[in-house]
Amino acid sequence: MRTILIPVLFVLSATCVPALCGNEETPVLQPGAPAETRSRFAGLDDVRLLANGLLQLGQSLREFVQRTKGQINDILQKLNIFDHSFYQLSVLASEIKEEGEELKKTTVVLKANNDEIKDLSVQINSKMENIMQEKSQLQNKVEGLEKKLSTLSHGLVTSDQVAEINGLRDVINSQEQSIIELLNAVKEQNDQINHQKTKIKILEEKVDDTIERMPENFNSEAPTLTPFLTSICGHFSTDLPSDCSQLFSRGERASGVYAIRPNGSEPFMAFCDMSKDYGVTVIQRRRDGSVNFDQTWEKYENGFGYFQGEFWLGLRKIRSLAAQGDSVLHFQLEDWKQVRRFIEYRFYLDGPESNYTIHLTHLSGDLPDPISNHTGMMFSTKDRDNDKHQDLNCAHSYTGGWWFNACGDTNLNGRYFHMRPKGRSERRRGIQWKPARKAPYFLKLTQISVYPVAPPSSSSASSETGIFL
């Protein structure tokens, strides 16, 4: 602005006329000459020069006003964006605070339950000590009676005494059986106590993470699945069933953990679901978030978790099951509204040399099919990127190993959320089933199982298959 005014003032000073500048000189009358009347107005050239300078000044002022107005509008837009971002941050902070308070309350309740469980454990231990003392006393009595019996066995014992001794022996045997049953019950109680302690520890960690606004720790080691007993690998391995369906055909009807040996492979333990009219071999189950599924390639290849809780059977074992012939891959899903659905595929799994490439053909089910385009995909983990996305490692960004294509939104090995996350990017890290152009299913329970194309005594697959133990 200052640079514009300087030339204008110079023009004004140069063109200043007597009428405008106030320096009008008093006319001198020449004797003998006629009086000359001077005009009180500036010359036409001077006026034009002045008007031209004023015009330039006005144009410069106009440009300056336009630039200033644009800068003010930019500042107002940035202020609006800042206000909106600050409001979103305030809402998010409020939600985090509320979730933290709820988790604190839950932790207090669980701690109280833990104290009660500890008291119960002390009482059980005290009773066990009393029982062991009584057992010792009974054994001493039995030894005394046996000595007396041996001394009286030379014909001095009457039939009544023999009957009395036999009766005492029966009582002692029944007492010993009761002691064994009580010890088993105590063992089960201890197992339940340990399970409760694990849940309490997990909730405490989540409370701390939420309050401190720290990301959840998904680098902990997952437990390795129960190894197969070496004693079974010796004499009885030739009699083991190839899978759970063959076990069902042999007459077994109870769901649980069994030893199998598919396709002549090394024997291993597997969970068999016998809840319908045929047996299926469960290869994955999610139900409570007690096991971390963000694991390495080695873990996904060999298996991890607990058969009575959450687990992944292992790619090597799944491959041995699929290598037996035509197999069906059965997905059993339940959302947070307790709605259960299922979908089935005929599938085959390549070996480790192809990074366990999966081949799928849709068969049936009441779920939309979002993973047929995953056929031909290799398995990926956070430390081995085999997906089709050029810029991302899907397993690292979305957590959990899976047959990723270009990431997408379907991943049953993602992070387990007990409450639905607010942000879309965080929800995509969770367990979900996302059909194309449709809202995703956010899942509470999942079970993936394998069985032959024509299982024994089966007519058709049911949407109720799966017991979610």
Side-chain angles (χ1 to χ4, degrees):
M1 181 66 183
R2 189 174 296 173
T3 56
I4 297 174
L5 292 177
I6 290 173
V8 174
L9 292 174
F10 178 79
V11 171
L12 289 176
S13 63
T15 59
C16 183
V17 296
L20 297 177
C21 297
N23 295 325
E24 184 179 356
E25 297 181 356
T26 305
V28 179
L29 296 175
Q30 299 290 337
E36 183 179 354
T37 304
R38 294 192 61 171
S39 173
R40 293 180 297 136
F41 301 99
L44 181 60
D45 293 338
D46 295 337
V47 171
R48 286 178 178 174
L49 184 61
L50 178 62
N52 201 17
L54 291 174
L55 185 63
Q56 291 179 0
L57 176 62
Q59 184 68 24
S60 300
L61 287 173
R62 181 179 179 184
E63 292 176 356
F64 173 75
V65 170
Q66 291 294 334
R67 286 197 300 271
T68 304
K69 184 185 285 187
Q71 293 174 354
I72 292 173
N73 288 334
D74 291 339
I75 292 171
L76 290 175
Q77 290 178 359
K78 291 178 179 179
L79 286 174
N80 289 332
I81 295 172
F82 174 79
D83 290 340
H84 182 66
S85 301
F86 183 77
Y87 173 75
Q88 289 180 335
L89 287 174
S90 300
V91 172
L92 180 60
S94 177
E95 292 174 351
I96 292 172
K97 186 175 180 181
E98 291 176 359
E99 292 178 359
E101 293 296 330
E102 292 179 359
L103 288 173
K104 278 185 177 180
K105 294 177 182 178
T106 305
T107 303
V108 170
V109 174
L110 288 175
K111 283 184 176 179
N113 292 337
N114 191 28
D115 293 337
E116 293 179 0
I117 291 171
K118 286 182 179 178
D119 294 337
L120 180 61
S121 178
V122 171
Q123 294 176 6
I124 291 172
N125 290 331
S126 177
K127 289 182 179 180
M128 283 182 63
E129 291 177 358
N130 294 333
I131 290 169
M132 296 302 294
Q133 290 177 359
E134 292 178 0
K135 181 180 179 181
S136 178
Q137 293 173 359
L138 286 172
Q139 286 179 345
N140 292 333
K141 289 182 180 180
V142 169
E143 290 176 358
L145 288 172
E146 286 179 348
K147 289 179 181 179
K148 290 180 181 181
L149 182 62
S150 63
T151 57
L152 297 174
S153 61
H154 299 289
L156 299 176
V157 181
T158 63
S159 59
D160 293 336
Q161 290 175 330
V162 172
E164 183 179 357
I165 291 170
N166 290 333
L168 285 172
R169 185 172 292 172
D170 293 338
V171 170
I172 292 170
N173 290 334
S174 63
Q175 292 258 358
E176 188 173 0
Q177 186 65 31
S178 300
I179 290 171
I180 293 172
E181 293 176 357
L182 185 56
L183 289 174
N184 290 333
V186 169
K187 184 179 179 181
E188 292 178 0
Q189 287 287 342
N190 285 330
D191 292 340
Q192 292 178 3
I193 290 171
N194 291 332
H195 188 62
Q196 287 288 340
K197 287 181 179 178
T198 302
K199 285 188 176 181
I200 291 172
K201 184 178 179 181
I202 291 170
L203 280 174
E204 287 177 347
E205 291 176 354
K206 288 181 179 178
V207 170
D208 295 337
D209 291 343
T210 305
I211 293 174
E212 296 174 5
R213 289 292 289 137
M214 294 291 292
E216 293 185 17
N217 182 12
F218 276 82
N219 295 321
S220 60
E221 287 293 325
T224 302
L225 281 177
T226 306
F228 189 79
L229 298 178
T230 55
S231 61
I232 298 180
C233 294
H235 300 290
F236 305 106
S237 60
T238 56
D239 297 330
L240 294 177
S242 60
D243 57 16
C244 295
S245 65
Q246 191 175 94
L247 194 66
F248 186 92
S249 66
R250 294 183 182 182
E252 188 61 57
R253 295 296 182 268
S255 297
V257 181
Y258 295 91
I260 62 174
R261 188 183 185 187
N263 201 34
S265 64
E266 288 295 324
F268 58 85
M269 306 299 288
F271 188 92
C272 296
D273 181 0
M274 308 291 195
S275 59
K276 303 308 291 181
D277 56 352
Y278 55 93
V280 299
T281 307
V282 181
I283 65 172
Q284 184 257 36
R285 184 166 59 217
R286 308 291 300 277
R287 67 175 189 175
D288 55 14
S290 59
V291 173
N292 175 16
F293 271 65
D294 189 22
Q295 296 298 326
T296 61
W297 178 269
E298 181 182 1
K299 286 286 186 179
Y300 268 99
E301 195 169 37
N302 297 321
F304 56 86
Y306 303 98
F307 281 123
Q308 299 303 328
E310 296 189 331
F311 67 90
W312 172 262
L313 185 61
L315 291 168
R316 291 183 185 275
K317 300 168 188 174
I318 299 171
R319 154 71 178 169
S320 64
L321 289 167
Q324 296 185 117
D326 289 341
S327 299
V328 173
L329 193 64
H330 182 97
F331 293 87
Q332 182 74 33
L333 311 178
E334 180 178 321
D335 60 23
W336 288 92
K337 297 179 181 180
Q338 284 73 49
V339 178
R340 286 192 180 185
R341 296 181 175 87
F342 85 104
I343 193 168
E344 291 185 332
Y345 298 86
R346 180 173 294 183
F347 98 111
Y348 183 77
L349 195 66
D350 292 337
E353 67 282 354
S354 301
N355 294 313
Y356 300 100
T357 299
I358 194 169
H359 304 275
L360 298 169
T361 303
H362 179 254
L363 293 177
S364 62
D366 55 5
L367 266 171
D369 171 27
I371 65 170
S372 286
N373 62 342
H374 288 229
T375 189
M377 295 298 105
M378 295 181 287
F379 199 83
S380 292
T381 59
K382 60 184 180 182
D383 60 338
R384 187 174 293 191
D385 184 8
N386 295 318
D387 58 59
K388 298 297 183 181
H389 203 295
Q390 296 181 353
D391 301 324
L392 283 179
N393 179 348
C394 300
H396 183 271
S397 300
Y398 284 48
T399 75
W402 193 250
W403 292 276
F404 292 104
N405 186 345
C407 291
D409 295 320
T410 296
N411 179 12
L412 300 187
N413 288 335
R415 188 175 298 179
Y416 192 99
F417 291 111
H418 292 84
M419 293 182 292
R420 181 181 180 184
K422 303 296 181 182
R424 183 172 180 269
S425 61
E426 191 68 11
R427 286 199 301 270
R428 293 177 71 178
R429 296 174 179 264
I431 309 171
Q432 57 178 317
W433 185 271
K434 175 68 169 62
R437 299 180 181 179
K438 293 184 179 180
Y441 296 93
F442 296 101
L443 303 172
K444 177 182 179 183
L445 304 171
T446 71
Q447 179 171 295
I448 309 175
S449 52
V450 177
Y451 65 88
V453 170
S457 305
S458 67
S459 56
S460 62
S462 169
S463 62
E464 299 177 356
T465 301
I467 53 180
F468 291 120
L469 290 176

